[in-house]
Amino acid sequence: MQRSTVLAALALLTACAVVLWPGPFAPGLIGHPTGDLAYHVWGTDWFGGELLQGRLPLYTRVTHLPDGGWLYHPDPLGALLALPLRPLGPALAWNLLVSLQVLAAAAGGFVLGRALTDNDAGALTAGVVCAASPFGLGLIHSGLSEYQGLVWPILAVWAVHRAAERPDRWRLAAFALWLCTAQAFYYGVFGALWALCVFAAPPWRLTTLAKILLTWLVASLPLIAAATGSFSAQE
């Protein structure tokens, strides 16, 4: 590994530490207490608890009183990532989850920047932007966990770029779009729009585009069905 790459990676870790200061082990929760923080901390903990009890996390009696109802947690990937952190308690598990997501977004940006610019300066710039953008900082502040998993849309951009260079990589692009959808439906839709912009332009690669979008859509149907059931449930 080149010395410049190591220095860029260390600079990126420093940027992440600044974003997360005073860090995951500080008292309290990362995020603003009057935003959506409490809902998402509860949802992450509830999702993991349901799985550990052998139940699909799609129904609850805690909400939708008096009989309970269908509930789709909007951040299933984040909740799965937090599952092994449960023994640490909800607060520390949440703080470590947010920290891991910031680090992952920075790493994803670094990989994307390296692929697009082929130099460490471009990779570092992309990594810092992905870790410390106003959009990302706002998500950490508000506690909207489903949008904090920025690594998946970042890697989707990279995967679509790779599929554009080598059409046989279309499965990787479709899988990346599915991960975006599992993280947040908006990310899935905008990832599909990105693929449309890349492939539906000269040189025309509509067959590859159709494979990507059709596979992504079919794989996303269970997620869409689960979320639709929650949206239509009686409050």
Side-chain angles (χ1 to χ4, degrees):
M1 183 179 293
Q2 295 183 353
R3 183 168 178 266
S4 60
T5 303
V6 175
L7 291 175
L10 290 175
L12 192 57
L13 287 174
T14 302
C16 291
V18 171
V19 169
L20 293 166
W21 184 262
F25 298 101
L29 293 162
I30 295 177
H32 197 279
T34 60
D36 293 304
L37 179 64
Y39 302 111
H40 290 272
V41 173
W42 178 87
T44 299
D45 188 69
W46 168 80
F47 187 99
E50 291 294 293
L51 286 179
L52 291 177
Q53 294 180 52
R55 297 191 295 261
L56 285 176
L58 293 173
Y59 186 87
T60 180
R61 293 187 180 276
V62 179
T63 63
H64 305 82
L65 298 175
D67 300 319
W70 193 276
L71 180 64
Y72 177 80
H73 180 56
D75 183 18
L77 293 186
L80 287 173
L81 185 61
L83 193 58
L85 304 174
R86 282 178 63 85
L88 302 175
L92 184 54
W94 172 266
N95 290 348
L96 288 174
L97 172 63
V98 173
S99 301
L100 288 172
Q101 288 173 323
V102 171
L103 289 169
F110 191 90
V111 170
L112 177 62
R114 199 74 171 77
L116 296 179
T117 66
D118 197 29
N119 65 75
D120 293 324
L124 176 60
T125 301
V128 171
V129 168
C130 291
S133 68
F135 176 69
L137 295 177
L139 296 175
I140 295 172
H141 182 76
S142 67
L144 289 170
S145 64
E146 70 266 34
Y147 300 121
Q148 290 175 12
L150 290 170
V151 62
W152 307 121
I154 293 167
L155 291 183
V157 172
W158 171 81
V160 169
H161 174 72
R162 292 297 301 273
E165 293 178 333
R166 291 183 54 183
D168 62 321
R169 297 291 180 90
W170 67 268
R171 295 177 184 83
L172 176 65
F175 180 59
L177 292 183
W178 180 85
L179 287 172
C180 283
T181 308
Q183 180 63 52
F185 288 108
Y186 283 128
Y187 289 164
V189 171
F190 282 108
L193 290 175
W194 168 251
L196 186 65
C197 292
V198 170
F199 285 95
W204 308 105
R205 291 155 293 187
L206 298 182
T207 301
T208 304
L209 175 63
K211 291 178 181 178
I212 293 171
L213 295 184
L214 184 59
T215 303
W216 159 70
L217 183 59
V218 172
S220 299
L221 287 178
L223 295 172
I224 296 171
T228 302
S230 185
F231 297 154
S232 61
Q234 182 178 358
E235 294 292 339

